[in-house]
């Protein structure tokens, strides 16, 4: 049995696509944190931020992670801000391996530029902003990660093979 895999990384780093591939090809269960929170709340992430504020959303993330303590053989696609809270990192460490998916700001921008689902990027949709936000978050991502996987110019299969080799 594969232990839980927590995918962390910046918005648009490919966490959701990789998580789906692991579910579909390696018989793992999937938890997509943003989707789970949206369905729990009956509103989108953008609505939650606008109506209840970021701190409220962050508390929901922590609650969800803590509720997964007994989960096994699950890949979790984490929201980009999850590793900013030490209690989230501790909860992830308890039940699995933490994989940091690292993509360049240019690659991230190319993936997110036509989307409007991420409140923190609304009005800030440019490479410079993404780069500066990534720089601020990088120490937390690296500190949390058991393994870092560079995703630029790699296929999903290559990335998943690398991840699975590192957790087995
Ligand atoms: C966030 C990332 C988003 C979502 C929310 C905040 C962040 O998830 O949780 O908009 O702080 O980086 P994705 O990383 O899945 O886009």
């Amino acid at each position: 049995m594969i232990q839980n895999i927590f995918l962390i990384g910046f918005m648009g780093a490919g966490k959701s696509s990789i998580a789906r591939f692991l579910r579909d090809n390696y018989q793992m269960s999937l938890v997509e944190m943003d989707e789970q929170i949206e369905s729990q709340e009956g509103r989108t992430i953008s609505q939650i931020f606008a109506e209840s504020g970021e701190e409220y959303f962050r508390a929901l993330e922590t609650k969800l992670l803590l509720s997964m303590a007994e989960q096994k053989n699950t890949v979790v696609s984490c929201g980009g801000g999850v590793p900013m809270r030490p209690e989230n990192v501790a909860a992830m460490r308890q039940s699995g391996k933490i994989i940091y998916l690292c993509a360049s700001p240019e690659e991230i921008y190319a993936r997110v530029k036509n989307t409007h689902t991420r409140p923190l990027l609304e009005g800030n949709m440019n490479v410079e902003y993404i780069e500066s936000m990534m720089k601020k978050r990088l120490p937390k991502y690296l500190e949390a990660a058991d393994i870092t996987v560079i995703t630029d110019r790699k296929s999903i299969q290559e990335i998943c093979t690398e991840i699975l080799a590192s957790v087995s």
Side-chain angles (χ1 to χ4, degrees):
M1 187 198 65
I2 305 172
Q3 61 191 314
N4 298 327
I5 294 176
F6 294 91
L7 301 179
I8 63 166
F10 203 78
M11 295 170 264
K15 293 164 290 181
S16 303
S17 316
I18 306 285
R20 279 195 298 269
F21 193 90
L22 286 171
R23 176 198 58 194
D24 295 343
N25 296 282
Y26 297 94
Q27 292 81 47
M28 297 188 76
S29 306
L30 168 66
V31 173
E32 172 65 55
M33 286 188 66
D34 286 346
E35 265 178 36
Q36 186 120 336
I37 288 173
E38 285 183 334
S39 84
Q40 242 170 250
E41 287 283 299
R43 32 187 198 153
T44 65
I45 302 292
S46 300
Q47 284 170 327
I48 298 170
F49 268 68
E51 295 165 6
S52 307
E54 180 171 351
E55 277 311 298
Y56 177 85
F57 172 73
R58 297 302 175 197
L60 293 177
E61 286 186 315
T62 300
K63 202 166 148 216
L64 175 56
L65 278 173
L66 291 173
S67 77
M68 286 188 289
E70 302 302 319
Q71 205 105 9
K72 298 266 181 305
N73 197 39
T74 298
V75 56
V76 184
S77 174
C78 296
V82 161
M84 302 305 117
R85 281 193 169 191
E87 62 266 46
N88 293 347
V89 177
M92 294 190 282
R93 285 232 168 89
Q94 288 279 315
S95 71
K97 285 273 190 265
I98 306 175
I99 314 287
Y100 170 43
L101 297 179
C102 179
S104 66
E106 290 76 14
E107 186 94 6
I108 299 270
Y109 174 69
R111 294 205 191 121
V112 300
K113 66 179 178 194
N114 295 320
T115 65
H116 292 283
T117 52
R118 298 177 174 95
L120 297 179
L121 293 181
E122 280 306 298
N124 297 312
M125 200 56 97
N126 58 74
V127 177
E128 294 69 30
Y129 184 82
I130 290 170
E131 192 165 19
S132 73
M133 195 172 165
M134 274 176 87
K135 265 200 190 129
K136 282 192 208 135
R137 287 184 165 189
L138 187 64
K140 300 271 191 210
Y141 287 142
L142 292 175
E143 208 180 295
D146 292 301
I147 298 120
T148 295
V149 177
I150 311 274
T151 61
D152 285 354
R153 289 177 299 280
K154 284 183 192 156
S155 69
I156 292 191
Q157 177 67 75
E158 279 176 303
I159 295 165
C160 290
T161 305
E162 219 174 292
I163 291 172
L164 291 171
S166 69
V167 299
S168 55

